CSV table of all heavy atoms in Angstrom, one decimal:
chain,number,residue,atom,x,y,z
N,831,GLY,N,12.5,9.1,23.5
N,831,GLY,CA,11.2,9.7,23.2
N,831,GLY,C,10.6,9.1,21.9
N,831,GLY,O,9.5,9.6,21.6
N,832,SER,N,11.1,8.1,21.4
N,832,SER,CA,10.5,7.6,20.2
N,832,SER,C,9.2,6.8,20.4
N,832,SER,O,8.6,6.5,19.4
N,832,SER,CB,11.6,6.6,19.4
N,832,SER,OG,11.9,5.5,20.3
N,833,ASP,N,8.8,6.7,21.6
N,833,ASP,CA,7.5,6.0,21.9
N,833,ASP,C,6.5,7.1,22.1
N,833,ASP,O,5.3,6.6,22.5
N,833,ASP,CB,7.8,5.1,23.2
N,833,ASP,CG,8.2,5.9,24.4
N,833,ASP,OD1,8.7,7.0,24.2
N,833,ASP,OD2,8.1,5.4,25.5
N,834,LYS,N,6.8,8.2,21.9
N,834,LYS,CA,5.8,9.2,22.3
N,834,LYS,C,4.6,9.2,21.1
N,834,LYS,O,4.7,8.8,20.0
N,834,LYS,CB,6.3,10.7,22.3
N,834,LYS,CG,7.3,10.9,23.5
N,834,LYS,CD,7.6,12.3,23.7
N,834,LYS,CE,8.7,12.5,24.8
N,834,LYS,NZ,8.5,11.8,26.0
N,835,ASP,N,3.5,9.8,21.6
N,835,ASP,CA,2.3,9.8,20.8
N,835,ASP,C,2.6,11.0,19.8
N,835,ASP,O,3.0,12.1,20.2
N,835,ASP,CB,1.1,10.3,21.6
N,835,ASP,CG,-0.3,10.3,20.8
N,835,ASP,OD1,-0.1,9.9,19.6
N,835,ASP,OD2,-1.3,10.8,21.3
N,836,GLY,N,2.5,10.6,18.5
N,836,GLY,CA,2.9,11.6,17.5
N,836,GLY,C,4.1,11.2,16.6
N,836,GLY,O,4.5,11.9,15.7
N,837,VAL,N,4.7,10.1,17.0
N,837,VAL,CA,5.8,9.4,16.2
N,837,VAL,C,5.4,8.4,15.4
N,837,VAL,O,4.6,7.5,15.8
N,837,VAL,CB,7.0,8.9,17.2
N,837,VAL,CG1,8.2,8.5,16.3
N,837,VAL,CG2,7.4,10.0,18.1
N,838,PHE,N,5.7,8.5,14.0
N,838,PHE,CA,5.2,7.5,13.1
N,838,PHE,C,6.3,6.9,12.3
N,838,PHE,O,7.3,7.6,12.1
N,838,PHE,CB,4.2,8.2,12.2
N,838,PHE,CG,3.0,8.7,12.8
N,838,PHE,CD1,2.9,9.8,13.4
N,838,PHE,CD2,1.9,7.9,12.7
N,838,PHE,CE1,1.8,10.2,14.0
N,838,PHE,CE2,0.6,8.2,13.3
N,838,PHE,CZ,0.6,9.4,14.0
N,839,THR,N,6.1,5.6,11.8
N,839,THR,CA,7.0,5.2,10.8
N,839,THR,C,6.1,5.2,9.5
N,839,THR,O,4.9,5.6,9.5
N,839,THR,CB,7.4,3.7,11.0
N,839,THR,OG1,6.2,2.9,11.2
N,839,THR,CG2,8.3,3.7,12.2
N,840,PHE,N,6.7,4.9,8.4
N,840,PHE,CA,5.9,5.2,7.0
N,840,PHE,C,6.2,4.1,6.0
N,840,PHE,O,7.0,4.3,5.2
N,840,PHE,CB,6.3,6.5,6.4
N,840,PHE,CG,5.3,7.2,5.5
N,840,PHE,CD1,4.1,7.5,6.1
N,840,PHE,CD2,5.6,7.4,4.4
N,840,PHE,CE1,3.1,8.0,5.2
N,840,PHE,CE2,4.7,8.0,3.4
N,840,PHE,CZ,3.4,8.4,3.9
N,841,THR,N,5.5,3.0,6.3
N,841,THR,CA,5.6,1.8,5.3
N,841,THR,C,4.4,1.3,4.8
N,841,THR,O,4.3,0.9,3.6
N,841,THR,CB,6.4,0.6,6.0
N,841,THR,OG1,7.6,1.2,6.7
N,841,THR,CG2,7.0,-0.4,5.2
N,842,THR,N,3.3,1.2,5.6
N,842,THR,CA,2.1,0.5,5.2
N,842,THR,C,1.0,1.5,5.2
N,842,THR,O,1.1,2.6,5.6
N,842,THR,CB,1.7,-0.6,6.2
N,842,THR,OG1,1.4,0.1,7.5
N,842,THR,CG2,2.8,-1.6,6.3
N,843,ILE,N,-0.1,1.0,4.5
N,843,ILE,CA,-1.4,1.9,4.4
N,843,ILE,C,-1.9,2.3,5.8
N,843,ILE,O,-2.3,3.3,6.0
N,843,ILE,CB,-2.4,1.1,3.6
N,843,ILE,CG1,-3.7,2.1,3.4
N,843,ILE,CG2,-2.9,-0.2,4.2
N,843,ILE,CD1,-3.6,3.3,2.8
N,844,LYS,N,-1.6,1.3,6.8
N,844,LYS,CA,-2.1,1.6,8.2
N,844,LYS,C,-1.2,2.8,8.7
N,844,LYS,O,-1.8,3.6,9.4
N,844,LYS,CB,-1.8,0.3,9.0
N,844,LYS,CG,-2.7,0.3,10.3
N,844,LYS,CD,-2.6,-1.2,11.0
N,844,LYS,CE,-2.9,-1.0,12.4
N,844,LYS,NZ,-2.4,-2.3,13.1
Side-chain angles (χ1 to χ4, degrees):
Chain N
S832 60
D833 56 346
K834 289 193 195 305
D835 184 11
V837 180
F838 292 86
T839 53
F840 203 63
T841 310
T842 63
I843 182 65
K844 205 170 154 193

